[in-house]
Amino acid sequence: MQSPKSPVVKDLVLVGGGHAHVAVLKSLGMNPVAGLRVTLITRDIHTPYSGMLPGYVAGFYEYDECHIDLGPLARFAGARLYHTEVEGVDTENQKVIAKGRPPVSYDVLSINTGSRPNSINVPGVDEYALAAKPIDIFLQKWDQLIERVNQSEGEFRVVVVGGGAGGVELALSTQHRLQQELKQSGDDPSRLTYSLCTSSGSIMYMHNSGVRRKFERILNERGITIRTNSRVAAIDASQVTLETGESYPADAVFWVTTASAPKWPKTSGLAVDNAGFIKVNHNLQSISHSNIFAVGDVASLPDARPKSGVFAVRQGPVLTRNLKAAATGRSLRRYRPQKKFLGLISTGNQYAVASRGSWSYESAWLWRVKDWIDREFMAKFNELPEMDDNPRTELASGIADREAIKELSTLAMRCGGCGAKVGATVLSRVMARLPVDSRDDVLIGREAPDDCAMLAVPEGKVMVQSVDYFRAFIDDSYLFGAIAANHALGDLFAMGAEAQSVLALATVPYGREAIVEETLYEMLAGALSIIKPTGAVLAGGHSSEGAELAFGLTVNGLIDPAKVLRKSGMQPGDALVLTKPIGTGTLFAADMRSKAKGRWIDAALKAMVLSNQQAAEVLRKYGATACTDLTGFGLVGHLIEMTRASKVDAVLYMDRLPILDGAQETVTAGILSSLQPQNLRLRRALKDLEKAALHPAFPLLFDPQTAGGLLASVPEDQAENCIQSLKQFGYTDSKIIGCIEPASDKPEPIRIQSGY
Ligand SMILES: Cc1cc2nc3c(=O)[nH]c(=O)nc-3n(C[C@H](O)[C@H](O)[C@H](O)COP(=O)(O)OP(=O)(O)OC[C@H]3O[C@@H](n4cnc5c(N)ncnc54)[C@H](O)[C@@H]3O)c2cc1C
């Protein structure tokens, strides 16, 4: 979590992690702007670099070599990273509408979401073709196609639709890869046949005649049939049909046609061109909304240029300058697109053709040059400099917005004590925006607030209570609210209680009133997204302003006292079950140092928002004898609590521990949570400590967990069925990780077993 060093004054929201936005993020990391909060909303955490994509498909690059990891880059930039898809912009209220979360407010908005191949009105494309974008879906389908080709027998017919540089490159690179796959498995590569359909009269009509001739020759040499003036009108499982009615058999179809625009810019009321691309002026600024910018494929510039990553890259520095200028009230700079640009187009077999204006050239060393240029480009974003303490350039004096300056000056004189409370107006506005919830046994709650919440305990039940409080470890207040709620509720579910009500304690960083309101709303809305489905209500709480975002929840549960599941019921012979993978401590420690891959953090966050409620029900159904939720003390710490209370010993199967992706890598790199040393003191509880410590996963036994899974003992004869059931309910990483034994006469209650 990167708490801002100065109060938030303005919100810059970047939509899409395209080629220009990565440059904006890098620049903001190098030269941050005080008071400017940056949020990146992106559908993909790993954004592909288009120049290397054909090389990846051909098998020359690893995934990480040709994708920019937006996780560390956003952290470097001090930006909040929201992993979701944007569906629209409410320009009147200056909010971005994003899937699965509250609208995101902006003062300045920049859009760099790219384009998709045009498939409008072509039946069958979505079902049967491999469209070149969105890239993550393309890559999934590509892996499946490799498998399908390997499994197939006889002729396998591939049709590529699109005769631009993208289509030609994709035809050549996929053909190279599939032929290699077949050769490697001793199969006959000649059973693969390729053709390329283009609606125009020649391939690569945007390039000079020399380039066209070269590619016609290369495609011919590679046995790829070119069909010009062939507009595809439909696709089905076994063929492509042209507008003329002719059809060709096809076992697989690549769809790489001209770029099309997303629908949401138009429906949001932004000025767009005839094709739906956002119309911008020479400053890359929307012609209809001066605080909105658009770049890359999604933008339509006054001087039309091809939809190509090269232009998006060149727009990056100008965009950066203009976004900072727009936030600080300075004048904008004009973007001057290059008239000619060097295109290095690969032929899928480590050979390339150069194209610039009317000049063309081809050779194998051009591929090496291209490879070098591309790797240099990627290194700029994937090998980030260490920035201990980012210097913040002062923005406050540069802000043109008088209101903001006035508000900012009052922030310096914030009171403590009760004066630190979030203002009543802000609070009541936030409450009014939150979904209503009620329960019969919550007699006074949020809807009719009083000095206290009033809770009834039904006959035959008792109330169990727990409280948790922590500083934000991520910059996304909505997700943080959800995880904090999940973490707190875990205690109730571990005991087998029904969640009844929650009291929240929210601390929001100082900032402009509108920003405080938004942050508080997001955090509470996130918490409610978890609390509501459990059947509990948010009955009340307290909110204040402070140095950093923090959230605490008191959770109240109801349970029949005879049915409480405690830590003390473990029986010798029981199996030890864990419902979620471990490793959040080390992963978020690595994330703070920008050393964690974006997809690792993304997967960890998904595990953390998974409620323990249903897991608890499953464990109870299969006769769990004891249960706890895994949190700060780590696996060994919580297990010791259980074995001590139950007067038993436990065996841990080290090779069966479910571990979050990346956590083994980060502990091996020595990146550990700051709580780890305290947890590590408990290593004395392990038998044969020296031997145990040799296991690579040893440090993870002491890794503190946030919103971890449930650790339970289950009768051995029920354990396998219990795991199957847990998996069906979405706890896909559930594992039997050990067993319970009678207490030995040794002081150490836990034995570690490898090679299980
Ligand atoms: C096979 C192929 C090869 C190509 N080769 C080259 C080449 O060698 N050189 C070249 O210059 N161009 C090449 N291109 C063209 C190039 O891919 C595009 O022009 C370029 O990617 C456009 O860049 P961009 O920055 O506008 O958007 P993109 O690079 O497409 O980035 C868009 C980003 O926005 C995100 N996003 C999309 N929609 C949303 C949403 N609704 N909400 C949130 N986030 C969203 C995506 O996840 C992605 O991170 C090729 C294209 C293809 C198909």
Side-chain angles (χ1 to χ4, degrees), residues 14-22 40-54 57 68 70 82-88 96-98 111-117 131-136 138 165-171 173 255-257 259 262 264 295-299 306-313 315 341-346 370 374:
L14 307 175
V15 174
H19 292 63
H21 277 176
V22 292
L40 170 67
I41 310 177
T42 180
R43 202 175 50 78
D44 297 314
I45 292 280
H46 293 259
T47 201
Y49 173 45
S50 50
M52 290 170 97
L53 207 62
V57 166
I68 296 169
L70 296 173
Y82 293 178
H83 183 197
T84 182
E85 190 163 353
V86 166
E87 295 177 322
V96 177
I97 316 297
I111 304 170
N112 183 197
T113 49
S115 59
R116 289 186 181 190
K133 295 204 175 179
I135 220 75
D136 54 330
F138 170 77
V168 169
E169 261 193 311
L170 211 61
S173 54
W255 193 260
V256 205
T257 54
W264 59 263
V295 281
D297 280 9
V298 80
K307 300 284 181 203
S308 162
V310 173
F311 290 101
V313 168
Q315 286 161 0
F341 67 95
L342 176 68
L344 293 174
I345 307 152
S346 64
K370 175 174 163 53
D374 289 343

